[in-house]
Amino acid sequence: MARLVMKFGGTSVADLDRIRNVARHVKREVDAGHDVAVVVSAMAGVTNQLVEWSRQAAMLHDAREYDAVVATGEQVTAGLLAIALEGMGVNARSWQGWQLPILTDNAHASARILDVNGAELTKRFKEHGQVAVIAGFQGMNKETGRVTTLGRGGSDTSAVAIAAAIGAERCDIYTDVDGVYTTDPRVVPQAHRLAKIAYEEMLELASLGAKVMQVRSVELGMVHNVRIFVRSSFDRPEDIDPRGNPPGTLICDEDEIMEQQVVTGIAFSRDEAQISIREVQDKPGVAAAIFGPLAEANINVDMIVQNVSADGKTTDLTFTVPAADFQRALEVITKAKPAIGYQRLDSATDVAKISVIGIGMRSHAGVAAQAFRALGERAVNIRAITTSEIKFSLLIDAAFTELAVRTLHSLYGLDKASP
Ligand code: ASP
Ligand code: MG
């Protein structure tokens, strides 16, 4: 017997049939003797509609009222799932964020969870074997008592926070994919599902745009050591043996991973743009003159490469920004030209960033060098490189994205079938 959190995303609760399917998944775990807290998202598309209505009502609106509107989607699914469970003879009760409460800071529309009170839930597990169905995505402003929301995709974070609060053995994230893959299977057919992945690796993958989970939820899982299991909600509940090993990916502490590969996964993004500033004066304060205004404009700079200046007077500086911010970044730099003092501005938008991730890199030298050689042999030019302890990223021409991802996927031994 264990305590579990089961989280279901929007596609898994998209209509009443799917909500009944979710109820059967929950009943399966209850019948196996587990204490269960369920966290639900709004029905697929509902939050988008609510966001859109808020915008149409007034382009500039009060974030407190935005939250009052967008938090409603989860209220509906929590109530409906509790009804469906009761209909199957499972004792269940729905909970809104403010009822527990889930306390947050005052950053409406992207609030951070400060504290979750799970006392009433655990009391009801013990006394009545009652399932808790909790509206994800919502919290309560600690100062004002008003409803807050946790940012798009925030119900993942609700689920992990609740798992930490009630001391759950695992937080199961039921979604429309059956786990985390070594890379996108649409690009590399040999990509396979990972049985386990370390928090740090998943954090990199999520930050690089793998849309499996909200980044904050992985951070929270790492801090509180919540074991997170990503699995499919479309498997038939009756086909799953709750005592068996269902397919999925466990996000956990690296100590729990026995056979650690050097490289775990490869992520890529085509939503990048490169800006090169030529013949910048090589003197103190120049980097600040470039990146200060970009930061003020809220533009996230990712890779930065500065050349050594040959004559000690000027240098070249290359960096990347999200493609969506490219035009704005050009404007910011052009405006700051007098302060920076450069000769020429070059740019490219047909670029892609390929990232290779694995905590095994900490203890293995030469991992990136292998990639440079393999890509060089295939005539893929590397425009920029950045590295960190468990990751390196390469900027290349977008046309070579698939070739590069496939090359690296096989180079690091990820092509073989899942163990
Ligand atoms: N319903 C919210 C959203 O669409 C929260 C979530 O689904 O995680 O962003
Ligand atoms: Mg989601």
Side-chain angles (χ1 to χ4, degrees):
M1 184 178 143
R3 191 166 283 174
L4 292 178
V5 169
M6 305 173 74
K7 185 259 167 177
F8 294 88
T11 45
S12 311
V13 293
D15 55 38
L16 283 175
D17 271 340
R18 291 195 183 166
I19 289 177
R20 283 190 204 102
N21 193 54
V22 165
R24 279 157 44 222
H25 276 293
V26 174
K27 184 173 189 308
R28 181 193 70 226
E29 301 294 352
V30 171
D31 289 348
H34 302 315
D35 290 341
V36 179
V38 193
V39 176
V40 286
S41 291
M43 290 174 169
V46 165
T47 309
N48 288 346
Q49 175 69 79
L50 296 168
V51 169
E52 191 49 36
W53 279 339
S54 307
R55 280 205 192 113
Q56 283 173 10
M59 207 46 209
L60 282 175
H61 47 252
D62 191 316
R64 286 166 294 196
E65 302 311 342
Y66 166 94
D67 279 347
V69 175
V70 300
T72 58
E74 275 72 10
Q75 173 157 356
V76 173
T77 41
L80 288 174
L81 179 58
I83 292 173
L85 284 166
E86 290 276 322
M88 289 178 190
V90 177
N91 184 2
R93 186 61 63 227
S94 74
W95 298 88
Q96 306 295 301
W98 59 268
Q99 286 172 307
L100 291 178
I102 297 172
L103 294 177
T104 74
D105 62 15
N106 60 11
H108 281 274
S110 60
R112 278 188 181 269
I113 295 177
L114 301 173
D115 185 53
V116 177
N117 187 343
E120 185 63 25
L121 304 186
T122 48
K123 180 165 165 265
R124 288 175 184 232
F125 289 153
K126 285 201 190 92
E127 290 174 4
H128 313 287
Q130 189 179 74
V131 172
V133 185
I134 302 150
F137 187 47
Q138 320 176 342
M140 180 177 118
N141 183 327
K142 191 180 179 186
E143 289 151 26
T144 61
R146 288 201 153 268
V147 63
T148 52
T149 62
L150 309 178
R152 297 307 305 270
S155 51
D156 293 331
T157 302
S158 310
V160 174
I162 288 160
I166 65 173
E169 175 165 308
R170 217 174 58 220
C171 180
D172 283 356
I173 304 285
Y174 287 81
T175 179
D176 47 6
V177 292
D178 64 358
V180 181
Y181 279 69
T182 48
T183 194
D184 187 339
R186 285 168 300 186
V187 169
V188 183
Q190 296 94 327
H192 64 267
R193 190 179 58 232
L194 294 157
K196 292 181 180 176
I197 185 169
Y199 294 117
E200 286 96 328
E201 295 170 327
M202 189 62 211
L203 209 49
E204 292 285 2
L205 276 181
S207 311
L208 289 164
K211 302 221 165 46
V212 189
M213 291 190 70
Q214 199 194 34
V215 177
R216 271 189 198 175
S217 68
V218 184
E219 278 169 4
L220 202 65
M222 185 159 93
V223 171
H224 295 285
N225 211 352
V226 174
R227 300 164 77 243
I228 302 169
F229 188 55
V230 179
R231 57 192 292 182
S232 168
S233 66
F234 296 128
D235 295 330
R236 273 170 33 96
E238 291 73 21
D239 295 344
I240 299 171
D241 172 5
R243 283 167 213 83
N245 284 319
T249 300
L250 184 71
I251 307 169
C252 58
D253 194 277
E254 59 186 275
D255 292 343
E256 214 183 308
I257 305 175
M258 290 304 187
E259 280 178 61
Q260 185 63 57
Q261 305 273 347
V262 177
V263 169
T264 305
I266 298 172
F268 57 91
S269 148
R270 296 188 182 91
D271 304 326
E272 310 283 324
Q274 175 188 333
I275 297 177
S276 294
I277 308 180
R278 308 288 184 200
E279 291 176 58
V280 187
Q281 298 167 54
D282 196 14
K283 61 171 195 203
V286 164
I290 295 170
F291 299 115
L294 288 169
E296 269 160 42
N298 238 325
I299 296 172
N300 248 321
V301 174
D302 183 26
M303 311 173 98
I304 303 177
V305 181
Q306 182 177 342
N307 294 346
V308 191
S309 67
D311 54 5
K313 290 197 193 90
T314 64
T315 181
D316 290 350
L317 219 139
T318 294
F319 57 90
T320 62
V321 295
D325 293 331
F326 175 61
Q327 284 305 334
R328 275 200 315 128
L330 286 184
E331 281 160 28
V332 169
I333 296 296
T334 314
K335 219 171 122 197
K337 183 169 182 179
I340 306 168
Y342 61 86
Q343 283 305 315
R344 210 172 78 238
L345 203 66
D346 294 334
S347 59
T349 49
D350 49 352
V351 292
K353 184 175 70 176
I354 317 285
S355 302
V356 177
I357 297 148
I359 49 176
M361 280 186 217
R362 281 196 204 123
S363 47
H364 284 78
V367 181
Q370 281 178 279
F372 304 153
R373 198 175 316 119
L375 294 177
E377 280 163 11
R378 283 163 188 78
V380 178
N381 186 38
I382 300 169
R383 292 166 165 263
I385 304 167
T386 54
T387 61
S388 76
E389 221 192 354
I390 65 161
K391 178 195 85 174
F392 65 89
S393 299
L394 310 172
L395 195 71
I396 62 170
D397 289 349
F400 293 115
T401 308
E402 304 193 346
L403 174 65
V405 174
R406 286 193 194 128
T407 300
L408 299 179
H409 196 268
S410 83
L411 176 70
Y412 294 115
L414 299 174
D415 278 352
K416 58 184 188 287
S418 180

